[in-house]
Amino acid sequence: MLPCSDCSIGMMHKTQVTYFTWLADELITVPDFPAWICDVCGKREYDVEALNRLALLLSPLPPKMQTSKPKKAPAKSDSPQASAQPPSPE
């Protein structure tokens, strides 16, 4: 337990609460989130380590790496191509 930094009378107790935050225009709720709550004034401080882990989970992903398109096979032309057979002896 820690003394409350707000009221200096109560003690901060670790408990589980529902954490609310906005991500863009969507409300995100996280149940059973660790927090410290004062038993006198009710001040709430969220666990720093848990906030850091949540930030990693909610952070936007980097843009997908663009993959190069597969190369197309050369277009067949109407001109005769060299034969794959060895030349005939004369």
Side-chain angles (χ1 to χ4, degrees):
M1 290 189 288
L2 303 169
C4 179
S5 61
D6 227 23
C7 69
S8 300
I9 299 170
M11 298 300 283
M12 302 293 282
H13 297 273
K14 193 167 187 179
T15 187
Q16 305 287 323
V17 297
T18 300
Y19 179 79
F20 298 92
T21 189
W22 287 94
L23 182 61
D25 56 347
E26 292 188 42
L27 179 64
I28 305 294
T29 60
V30 183
D32 303 322
F33 197 81
W36 296 88
I37 298 180
C38 176
D39 58 1
V40 173
C41 71
K43 177 181 178 175
R44 180 180 294 196
E45 292 182 8
Y46 297 106
D47 185 76
V48 175
E49 187 176 320
L51 284 172
N52 290 337
R53 284 185 272 140
L54 181 62
L56 285 173
L57 289 171
L58 296 179
S59 64
L61 297 174
K64 291 183 180 178
M65 295 180 62
Q66 292 184 358
T67 57
S68 59
K69 293 182 181 177
K71 294 182 179 180
K72 292 182 181 178
K76 293 184 179 181
S77 64
D78 292 337
S79 62
Q81 295 182 354
S83 171
Q85 298 174 353
S88 58
E90 291 181 20

